[in-house]
Amino acid sequence: MFKQNNQFKPFESRIWLSSPTMHGPEMEYVKEAYETNWMSTVGANINEAERLACEKTGCRYAVALSAGTAALHMAVKLAGVKPGDKVFCSDMTFDATVNPVAYEGGVPVFIDTEYDTWNMDPEALEKAFELYPDVKVVVAAHLYGTPGKIDKIREICDRYGAFLIEDAAESLGATYKGKQTGTFGDVSAISFNGNKIITGSSGGMLLTNDKEEAEKVRKWSTQARENAPWYQHEELGYNYRMSNVIAGVVRGQFGYLEEHIAQKKAIYERYQKGFQGLPVSMNPYDPEHSEPNFWLSCLLIEEEAMCEQVRGECRVLYSPEPGKSCPTEILETLAKYNAEGRPIWKPMHMQPIYRMNGFVTREGNGRAKTNAYIEGGVKGKDGRPLDVGMDIFQRGLCLPSDNKMTAEEQERIIEIIRQCFE
Ligand SMILES: *Cc1c(COP(=O)(O)O)cnc(C)c1O
């Protein structure tokens, strides 16, 4: 069946998933750097951006770096990961969460996702420590700006004496039980990449309460110079420091974080209301304990309302069906109307590069059970899919969540999606 959506013309200017929004002060700080010739990796903008990050999150030290990925790499070094060491990592996330483990020769073991928050399942983490009691490092991300059950994860790490790296790249400004994400880990990473809630065009920071750790990262990220009259080196160094120009943009953006969050929250709530009656739900959070930053609004299609969709490694096929839809149909339809959505992060345990790594579900070692393809997926004892990440990847998608999208434009997006289910 061919579904026609003739009611609308494509959007004249593209509706983005999430694009940078500048306000004015950013340019002033960049100009100041330029006019004073502080075009370097030292300067007032860097110091100020770091201070603002501490003020916002409540952490004691922030080290401004070239990217969130660089911050995660430094975090993995601080954790002392050595070649061959296994590290428990979020599974359904951006690959930048886990690649830094591999940079140091560590071996990620992926922990399955929970339906409650779409983040690391504490139950699966507990199982993982039973299977691999020697593991000493955990990397946990907060997906799409929704805090995971980070206090539970923290408690499990403490019990097993593990170092917790918190990847708060997507969740700056979000809180769990009143505390900012980025302050639960032994060290944490935030990002100012172009599509994040606030941006420097690029950039990131490592957050910590430990002065010595902050100083180590300052040193490593600026080529690891020793205190000597010449360039003296005892350790491997990196060129990871943030530029004072980029820091000017970050500095200017900090004042607009709350405004961006409010806009993103309004977008989430408008979708939630607009989809009433459709066989879908939004990316969930626990309103009693957490306040997300609502960076991306996402959709999950009920199993009964999924038309057939088969994904290979790089291509996908689906067959449209009346009353049903699938992420591919919705994404392709949005694209036809000049609007940008995105599939859910494809779980790391499904990625060819990490296909041989361990994967732990809430019932234990998931590799043996989920590697075989079974129609509808492998079910757990509770009757729900055992591989939660695979299931959310199959049925979920990220919606256009740009804070410059107008309410009228969003109403059209909602209507376009509704028509996919007709
Ligand atoms: C964006 C992102 C990163 C990496 O940040 P960059 O600044 O782009 O290097 C890491 N983890 C997650 C979950 C991200 O979304």
PDB file of all heavy atoms in Angstrom, residues 66-70 72 93-98 141-144 167-170 189-196 202-204 295 345, ligand 1:
ATOM      1  N   SER A  66      39.469  19.547  24.204  1.00  0.00           N
ATOM      2  CA  SER A  66      39.061  19.752  22.812  1.00  0.00           C
ATOM      3  C   SER A  66      37.750  19.055  22.467  1.00  0.00           C
ATOM      4  O   SER A  66      37.097  19.407  21.493  1.00  0.00           O
ATOM      5  CB  SER A  66      40.166  19.258  21.879  1.00  0.00           C
ATOM      6  OG  SER A  66      40.450  17.896  22.162  1.00  0.00           O
ATOM      7  N   ALA A  67      37.356  18.050  23.254  1.00  0.00           N
ATOM      8  CA  ALA A  67      36.135  17.299  22.963  1.00  0.00           C
ATOM      9  C   ALA A  67      35.710  16.484  24.173  1.00  0.00           C
ATOM     10  O   ALA A  67      36.538  16.202  25.054  1.00  0.00           O
ATOM     11  CB  ALA A  67      36.356  16.361  21.773  1.00  0.00           C
ATOM     12  N   GLY A  68      34.463  16.094  24.179  1.00  0.00           N
ATOM     13  CA  GLY A  68      33.983  15.168  25.204  1.00  0.00           C
ATOM     14  C   GLY A  68      34.728  13.851  25.110  1.00  0.00           C
ATOM     15  O   GLY A  68      35.012  13.206  26.126  1.00  0.00           O
ATOM     16  N   THR A  69      35.047  13.447  23.891  1.00  0.00           N
ATOM     17  CA  THR A  69      35.782  12.199  23.693  1.00  0.00           C
ATOM     18  C   THR A  69      37.155  12.266  24.356  1.00  0.00           C
ATOM     19  O   THR A  69      37.609  11.292  24.970  1.00  0.00           O
ATOM     20  CB  THR A  69      35.940  11.905  22.180  1.00  0.00           C
ATOM     21  OG1 THR A  69      34.658  12.029  21.554  1.00  0.00           O
ATOM     22  CG2 THR A  69      36.483  10.517  21.929  1.00  0.00           C
ATOM     23  N   ALA A  70      37.809  13.421  24.242  1.00  0.00           N
ATOM     24  CA  ALA A  70      39.113  13.616  24.894  1.00  0.00           C
ATOM     25  C   ALA A  70      38.946  13.523  26.414  1.00  0.00           C
ATOM     26  O   ALA A  70      39.785  12.929  27.105  1.00  0.00           O
ATOM     27  CB  ALA A  70      39.703  14.962  24.499  1.00  0.00           C
ATOM     28  N   LEU A  72      36.695  11.794  28.011  1.00  0.00           N
ATOM     29  CA  LEU A  72      36.492  10.379  28.335  1.00  0.00           C
ATOM     30  C   LEU A  72      37.809   9.613  28.257  1.00  0.00           C
ATOM     31  O   LEU A  72      38.071   8.725  29.071  1.00  0.00           O
ATOM     32  CB  LEU A  72      35.439   9.770  27.408  1.00  0.00           C
ATOM     33  CG  LEU A  72      34.006  10.213  27.748  1.00  0.00           C
ATOM     34  CD1 LEU A  72      33.071  10.017  26.560  1.00  0.00           C
ATOM     35  CD2 LEU A  72      33.480   9.456  28.966  1.00  0.00           C
ATOM     36  N   THR A  93      24.434   3.515  23.217  1.00  0.00           N
ATOM     37  CA  THR A  93      25.001   4.855  23.354  1.00  0.00           C
ATOM     38  C   THR A  93      25.812   5.176  22.115  1.00  0.00           C
ATOM     39  O   THR A  93      25.971   4.345  21.217  1.00  0.00           O
ATOM     40  CB  THR A  93      25.875   4.952  24.628  1.00  0.00           C
ATOM     41  OG1 THR A  93      26.364   6.292  24.763  1.00  0.00           O
ATOM     42  CG2 THR A  93      27.068   4.004  24.572  1.00  0.00           C
ATOM     43  N   PHE A  94      26.309   6.398  22.068  1.00  0.00           N
ATOM     44  CA  PHE A  94      27.220   6.842  21.015  1.00  0.00           C
ATOM     45  C   PHE A  94      28.559   6.126  21.209  1.00  0.00           C
ATOM     46  O   PHE A  94      28.958   5.888  22.344  1.00  0.00           O
ATOM     47  CB  PHE A  94      27.384   8.362  21.164  1.00  0.00           C
ATOM     48  CG  PHE A  94      28.146   9.042  20.074  1.00  0.00           C
ATOM     49  CD1 PHE A  94      28.027   8.647  18.758  1.00  0.00           C
ATOM     50  CD2 PHE A  94      28.961  10.122  20.373  1.00  0.00           C
ATOM     51  CE1 PHE A  94      28.730   9.302  17.758  1.00  0.00           C
ATOM     52  CE2 PHE A  94      29.664  10.786  19.375  1.00  0.00           C
ATOM     53  CZ  PHE A  94      29.554  10.377  18.070  1.00  0.00           C
ATOM     54  N   ASP A  95      29.257   5.814  20.124  1.00  0.00           N
ATOM     55  CA  ASP A  95      30.489   5.024  20.276  1.00  0.00           C
ATOM     56  C   ASP A  95      31.580   5.780  21.029  1.00  0.00           C
ATOM     57  O   ASP A  95      32.525   5.177  21.533  1.00  0.00           O
ATOM     58  CB  ASP A  95      30.993   4.498  18.925  1.00  0.00           C
ATOM     59  CG  ASP A  95      31.553   5.593  18.036  1.00  0.00           C
ATOM     60  OD1 ASP A  95      31.219   6.780  18.254  1.00  0.00           O
ATOM     61  OD2 ASP A  95      32.327   5.273  17.116  1.00  0.00           O
ATOM     62  N   ALA A  96      31.440   7.115  21.136  1.00  0.00           N
ATOM     63  CA  ALA A  96      32.440   7.898  21.874  1.00  0.00           C
ATOM     64  C   ALA A  96      32.441   7.550  23.364  1.00  0.00           C
ATOM     65  O   ALA A  96      33.419   7.821  24.053  1.00  0.00           O
ATOM     66  CB  ALA A  96      32.183   9.391  21.686  1.00  0.00           C
ATOM     67  N   THR A  97      31.363   6.958  23.856  1.00  0.00           N
ATOM     68  CA  THR A  97      31.347   6.515  25.254  1.00  0.00           C
ATOM     69  C   THR A  97      32.373   5.417  25.487  1.00  0.00           C
ATOM     70  O   THR A  97      33.021   5.382  26.527  1.00  0.00           O
ATOM     71  CB  THR A  97      29.948   5.957  25.632  1.00  0.00           C
ATOM     72  OG1 THR A  97      28.955   6.931  25.338  1.00  0.00           O
ATOM     73  CG2 THR A  97      29.867   5.576  27.102  1.00  0.00           C
ATOM     74  N   VAL A  98      32.530   4.534  24.511  1.00  0.00           N
ATOM     75  CA  VAL A  98      33.321   3.313  24.730  1.00  0.00           C
ATOM     76  C   VAL A  98      34.668   3.296  24.015  1.00  0.00           C
ATOM     77  O   VAL A  98      35.595   2.634  24.467  1.00  0.00           O
ATOM     78  CB  VAL A  98      32.516   2.041  24.349  1.00  0.00           C
ATOM     79  CG1 VAL A  98      31.212   2.029  25.112  1.00  0.00           C
ATOM     80  CG2 VAL A  98      32.258   1.944  22.863  1.00  0.00           C
ATOM     81  N   ALA A 141      26.573   6.116  30.642  1.00  0.00           N
ATOM     82  CA  ALA A 141      26.096   7.339  29.971  1.00  0.00           C
ATOM     83  C   ALA A 141      24.642   7.631  30.338  1.00  0.00           C
ATOM     84  O   ALA A 141      23.898   6.725  30.728  1.00  0.00           O
ATOM     85  CB  ALA A 141      26.230   7.174  28.466  1.00  0.00           C
ATOM     86  N   HIS A 142      24.270   8.908  30.221  1.00  0.00           N
ATOM     87  CA  HIS A 142      22.870   9.329  30.368  1.00  0.00           C
ATOM     88  C   HIS A 142      22.356   9.680  28.973  1.00  0.00           C
ATOM     89  O   HIS A 142      22.698  10.729  28.433  1.00  0.00           O
ATOM     90  CB  HIS A 142      22.754  10.552  31.272  1.00  0.00           C
ATOM     91  CG  HIS A 142      23.342  10.370  32.634  1.00  0.00           C
ATOM     92  ND1 HIS A 142      22.720   9.630  33.616  1.00  0.00           N
ATOM     93  CD2 HIS A 142      24.480  10.832  33.187  1.00  0.00           C
ATOM     94  CE1 HIS A 142      23.458   9.660  34.723  1.00  0.00           C
ATOM     95  NE2 HIS A 142      24.528  10.375  34.489  1.00  0.00           N
ATOM     96  N   LEU A 143      21.534   8.817  28.431  1.00  0.00           N
ATOM     97  CA  LEU A 143      21.142   8.951  27.026  1.00  0.00           C
ATOM     98  C   LEU A 143      20.097  10.027  26.786  1.00  0.00           C
ATOM     99  O   LEU A 143      19.096  10.101  27.505  1.00  0.00           O
ATOM    100  CB  LEU A 143      20.586   7.601  26.562  1.00  0.00           C
ATOM    101  CG  LEU A 143      20.867   7.272  25.109  1.00  0.00           C
ATOM    102  CD1 LEU A 143      22.353   7.114  24.878  1.00  0.00           C
ATOM    103  CD2 LEU A 143      20.135   6.005  24.702  1.00  0.00           C
ATOM    104  N   TYR A 144      20.335  10.819  25.762  1.00  0.00           N
ATOM    105  CA  TYR A 144      19.361  11.812  25.293  1.00  0.00           C
ATOM    106  C   TYR A 144      18.972  12.825  26.371  1.00  0.00           C
ATOM    107  O   TYR A 144      17.922  13.451  26.299  1.00  0.00           O
ATOM    108  CB  TYR A 144      18.112  11.125  24.716  1.00  0.00           C
ATOM    109  CG  TYR A 144      18.440  10.175  23.588  1.00  0.00           C
ATOM    110  CD1 TYR A 144      17.908   8.884  23.543  1.00  0.00           C
ATOM    111  CD2 TYR A 144      19.304  10.553  22.570  1.00  0.00           C
ATOM    112  CE1 TYR A 144      18.228   8.004  22.509  1.00  0.00           C
ATOM    113  CE2 TYR A 144      19.632   9.686  21.538  1.00  0.00           C
ATOM    114  CZ  TYR A 144      19.090   8.416  21.511  1.00  0.00           C
ATOM    115  OH  TYR A 144      19.419   7.560  20.492  1.00  0.00           O
ATOM    116  N   ASP A 167      29.437   9.439  31.790  1.00  0.00           N
ATOM    117  CA  ASP A 167      29.395  10.144  30.507  1.00  0.00           C
ATOM    118  C   ASP A 167      28.126  10.998  30.483  1.00  0.00           C
ATOM    119  O   ASP A 167      27.044  10.525  30.144  1.00  0.00           O
ATOM    120  CB  ASP A 167      29.410   9.133  29.353  1.00  0.00           C
ATOM    121  CG  ASP A 167      29.345   9.808  27.988  1.00  0.00           C
ATOM    122  OD1 ASP A 167      29.182  11.045  27.945  1.00  0.00           O
ATOM    123  OD2 ASP A 167      29.443   9.094  26.969  1.00  0.00           O
ATOM    124  N   ALA A 168      28.310  12.284  30.854  1.00  0.00           N
ATOM    125  CA  ALA A 168      27.176  13.216  30.899  1.00  0.00           C
ATOM    126  C   ALA A 168      27.184  14.136  29.675  1.00  0.00           C
ATOM    127  O   ALA A 168      26.663  15.242  29.718  1.00  0.00           O
ATOM    128  CB  ALA A 168      27.220  14.019  32.196  1.00  0.00           C
ATOM    129  N   ALA A 169      27.767  13.639  28.574  1.00  0.00           N
ATOM    130  CA  ALA A 169      27.904  14.456  27.356  1.00  0.00           C
ATOM    131  C   ALA A 169      26.560  14.966  26.844  1.00  0.00           C
ATOM    132  O   ALA A 169      26.468  16.076  26.328  1.00  0.00           O
ATOM    133  CB  ALA A 169      28.600  13.647  26.264  1.00  0.00           C
ATOM    134  N   GLU A 170      25.508  14.153  27.014  1.00  0.00           N
ATOM    135  CA  GLU A 170      24.203  14.535  26.480  1.00  0.00           C
ATOM    136  C   GLU A 170      23.294  15.140  27.553  1.00  0.00           C
ATOM    137  O   GLU A 170      22.182  15.544  27.253  1.00  0.00           O
ATOM    138  CB  GLU A 170      23.510  13.297  25.871  1.00  0.00           C
ATOM    139  CG  GLU A 170      24.313  12.686  24.725  1.00  0.00           C
ATOM    140  CD  GLU A 170      23.651  11.462  24.100  1.00  0.00           C
ATOM    141  OE1 GLU A 170      22.558  11.056  24.549  1.00  0.00           O
ATOM    142  OE2 GLU A 170      24.241  10.911  23.149  1.00  0.00           O
ATOM    143  N   ALA A 189      32.419  13.274  32.204  1.00  0.00           N
ATOM    144  CA  ALA A 189      32.717  14.018  30.987  1.00  0.00           C
ATOM    145  C   ALA A 189      31.464  14.733  30.516  1.00  0.00           C
ATOM    146  O   ALA A 189      30.359  14.188  30.595  1.00  0.00           O
ATOM    147  CB  ALA A 189      33.211  13.069  29.895  1.00  0.00           C
ATOM    148  N   ILE A 190      31.649  15.986  30.058  1.00  0.00           N
ATOM    149  CA  ILE A 190      30.561  16.693  29.386  1.00  0.00           C
ATOM    150  C   ILE A 190      31.064  17.116  28.004  1.00  0.00           C
ATOM    151  O   ILE A 190      32.270  17.084  27.754  1.00  0.00           O
ATOM    152  CB  ILE A 190      30.042  17.916  30.190  1.00  0.00           C
ATOM    153  CG1 ILE A 190      31.172  18.884  30.529  1.00  0.00           C
ATOM    154  CG2 ILE A 190      29.347  17.454  31.467  1.00  0.00           C
ATOM    155  CD1 ILE A 190      30.694  20.165  31.233  1.00  0.00           C
ATOM    156  N   SER A 191      30.139  17.459  27.126  1.00  0.00           N
ATOM    157  CA  SER A 191      30.514  17.787  25.746  1.00  0.00           C
ATOM    158  C   SER A 191      29.864  19.081  25.282  1.00  0.00           C
ATOM    159  O   SER A 191      28.736  19.394  25.674  1.00  0.00           O
ATOM    160  CB  SER A 191      30.086  16.647  24.817  1.00  0.00           C
ATOM    161  OG  SER A 191      30.152  17.063  23.458  1.00  0.00           O
ATOM    162  N   PHE A 192      30.590  19.821  24.446  1.00  0.00           N
ATOM    163  CA  PHE A 192      30.052  21.031  23.817  1.00  0.00           C
ATOM    164  C   PHE A 192      30.070  20.886  22.308  1.00  0.00           C
ATOM    165  O   PHE A 192      30.228  21.849  21.570  1.00  0.00           O
ATOM    166  CB  PHE A 192      30.860  22.258  24.267  1.00  0.00           C
ATOM    167  CG  PHE A 192      30.897  22.429  25.758  1.00  0.00           C
ATOM    168  CD1 PHE A 192      32.049  22.145  26.479  1.00  0.00           C
ATOM    169  CD2 PHE A 192      29.767  22.849  26.451  1.00  0.00           C
ATOM    170  CE1 PHE A 192      32.080  22.274  27.855  1.00  0.00           C
ATOM    171  CE2 PHE A 192      29.796  22.983  27.841  1.00  0.00           C
ATOM    172  CZ  PHE A 192      30.949  22.702  28.544  1.00  0.00           C
ATOM    173  N   ASN A 193      29.903  19.646  21.850  1.00  0.00           N
ATOM    174  CA  ASN A 193      29.804  19.373  20.420  1.00  0.00           C
ATOM    175  C   ASN A 193      28.605  20.134  19.830  1.00  0.00           C
ATOM    176  O   ASN A 193      27.682  20.501  20.555  1.00  0.00           O
ATOM    177  CB  ASN A 193      29.660  17.855  20.224  1.00  0.00           C
ATOM    178  CG  ASN A 193      29.681  17.460  18.769  1.00  0.00           C
ATOM    179  OD1 ASN A 193      30.331  18.104  17.956  1.00  0.00           O
ATOM    180  ND2 ASN A 193      28.963  16.411  18.431  1.00  0.00           N
ATOM    181  N   GLY A 194      28.639  20.347  18.516  1.00  0.00           N
ATOM    182  CA  GLY A 194      27.671  21.212  17.851  1.00  0.00           C
ATOM    183  C   GLY A 194      26.203  20.916  18.086  1.00  0.00           C
ATOM    184  O   GLY A 194      25.383  21.827  18.052  1.00  0.00           O
ATOM    185  N   ASN A 195      25.835  19.663  18.327  1.00  0.00           N
ATOM    186  CA  ASN A 195      24.401  19.395  18.473  1.00  0.00           C
ATOM    187  C   ASN A 195      23.976  19.211  19.931  1.00  0.00           C
ATOM    188  O   ASN A 195      22.825  18.887  20.203  1.00  0.00           O
ATOM    189  CB  ASN A 195      23.973  18.199  17.611  1.00  0.00           C
ATOM    190  CG  ASN A 195      24.595  16.895  18.084  1.00  0.00           C
ATOM    191  OD1 ASN A 195      25.276  16.850  19.106  1.00  0.00           O
ATOM    192  ND2 ASN A 195      24.352  15.836  17.346  1.00  0.00           N
ATOM    193  N   LYS A 196      24.873  19.446  20.869  1.00  0.00           N
ATOM    194  CA  LYS A 196      24.514  19.247  22.277  1.00  0.00           C
ATOM    195  C   LYS A 196      23.673  20.421  22.804  1.00  0.00           C
ATOM    196  O   LYS A 196      23.490  21.407  22.115  1.00  0.00           O
ATOM    197  CB  LYS A 196      25.793  19.054  23.110  1.00  0.00           C
ATOM    198  CG  LYS A 196      26.600  17.804  22.707  1.00  0.00           C
ATOM    199  CD  LYS A 196      25.978  16.537  23.199  1.00  0.00           C
ATOM    200  CE  LYS A 196      26.437  15.217  22.655  1.00  0.00           C
ATOM    201  NZ  LYS A 196      27.704  14.951  22.108  1.00  0.00           N
ATOM    202  N   SER A 202      32.657  22.810  19.190  1.00  0.00           N
ATOM    203  CA  SER A 202      33.239  21.543  19.655  1.00  0.00           C
ATOM    204  C   SER A 202      33.735  21.815  21.065  1.00  0.00           C
ATOM    205  O   SER A 202      33.593  22.922  21.562  1.00  0.00           O
ATOM    206  CB  SER A 202      34.376  21.105  18.731  1.00  0.00           C
ATOM    207  OG  SER A 202      35.436  22.042  18.807  1.00  0.00           O
ATOM    208  N   GLY A 203      34.318  20.816  21.676  1.00  0.00           N
ATOM    209  CA  GLY A 203      34.849  20.993  23.028  1.00  0.00           C
ATOM    210  C   GLY A 203      34.198  20.076  24.030  1.00  0.00           C
ATOM    211  O   GLY A 203      33.135  19.491  23.775  1.00  0.00           O
ATOM    212  N   GLY A 204      34.855  19.923  25.157  1.00  0.00           N
ATOM    213  CA  GLY A 204      34.334  19.082  26.233  1.00  0.00           C
ATOM    214  C   GLY A 204      35.056  19.410  27.519  1.00  0.00           C
ATOM    215  O   GLY A 204      35.981  20.240  27.526  1.00  0.00           O
ATOM    216  N   TRP A 295      17.199  16.819  25.947  1.00  0.00           N
ATOM    217  CA  TRP A 295      18.023  17.134  24.760  1.00  0.00           C
ATOM    218  C   TRP A 295      17.378  16.614  23.469  1.00  0.00           C
ATOM    219  O   TRP A 295      17.194  17.365  22.522  1.00  0.00           O
ATOM    220  CB  TRP A 295      19.432  16.554  24.934  1.00  0.00           C
ATOM    221  CG  TRP A 295      20.302  16.726  23.744  1.00  0.00           C
ATOM    222  CD1 TRP A 295      20.572  17.908  23.092  1.00  0.00           C
ATOM    223  CD2 TRP A 295      21.020  15.709  23.038  1.00  0.00           C
ATOM    224  NE1 TRP A 295      21.427  17.675  22.040  1.00  0.00           N
ATOM    225  CE2 TRP A 295      21.708  16.339  21.985  1.00  0.00           C
ATOM    226  CE3 TRP A 295      21.154  14.326  23.201  1.00  0.00           C
ATOM    227  CZ2 TRP A 295      22.522  15.629  21.093  1.00  0.00           C
ATOM    228  CZ3 TRP A 295      21.964  13.628  22.325  1.00  0.00           C
ATOM    229  CH2 TRP A 295      22.637  14.282  21.280  1.00  0.00           C
ATOM    230  N   TRP A 345      20.593   5.218  18.910  1.00  0.00           N
ATOM    231  CA  TRP A 345      21.982   4.732  18.841  1.00  0.00           C
ATOM    232  C   TRP A 345      21.964   3.208  18.695  1.00  0.00           C
ATOM    233  O   TRP A 345      21.389   2.513  19.536  1.00  0.00           O
ATOM    234  CB  TRP A 345      22.764   5.065  20.110  1.00  0.00           C
ATOM    235  CG  TRP A 345      22.984   6.514  20.426  1.00  0.00           C
ATOM    236  CD1 TRP A 345      22.690   7.122  21.608  1.00  0.00           C
ATOM    237  CD2 TRP A 345      23.585   7.528  19.601  1.00  0.00           C
ATOM    238  NE1 TRP A 345      23.062   8.452  21.552  1.00  0.00           N
ATOM    239  CE2 TRP A 345      23.608   8.728  20.334  1.00  0.00           C
ATOM    240  CE3 TRP A 345      24.103   7.537  18.296  1.00  0.00           C
ATOM    241  CZ2 TRP A 345      24.124   9.919  19.828  1.00  0.00           C
ATOM    242  CZ3 TRP A 345      24.611   8.721  17.798  1.00  0.00           C
ATOM    243  CH2 TRP A 345      24.615   9.887  18.556  1.00  0.00           C
TER     244      TRP A 345
HETATM  245  C1  LIG B   1      28.605  13.640  22.034  1.00  0.00           C
HETATM  246  C2  LIG B   1      28.886  12.499  22.905  1.00  0.00           C
HETATM  247  C3  LIG B   1      30.186  12.166  23.307  1.00  0.00           C
HETATM  248  C4  LIG B   1      31.402  12.794  22.746  1.00  0.00           C
HETATM  249  O1  LIG B   1      31.499  14.144  22.801  1.00  0.00           O
HETATM  250  P1  LIG B   1      32.335  14.943  21.686  1.00  0.00           P
HETATM  251  O2  LIG B   1      32.460  16.293  22.293  1.00  0.00           O
HETATM  252  O3  LIG B   1      31.545  14.907  20.436  1.00  0.00           O
HETATM  253  O4  LIG B   1      33.661  14.262  21.541  1.00  0.00           O
HETATM  254  C5  LIG B   1      30.357  11.125  24.199  1.00  0.00           C
HETATM  255  N1  LIG B   1      29.314  10.425  24.660  1.00  0.00           N
HETATM  256  C6  LIG B   1      28.058  10.692  24.281  1.00  0.00           C
HETATM  257  C7  LIG B   1      26.951   9.870  24.867  1.00  0.00           C
HETATM  258  C8  LIG B   1      27.800  11.708  23.378  1.00  0.00           C
HETATM  259  O5  LIG B   1      26.545  11.932  22.971  1.00  0.00           O
END
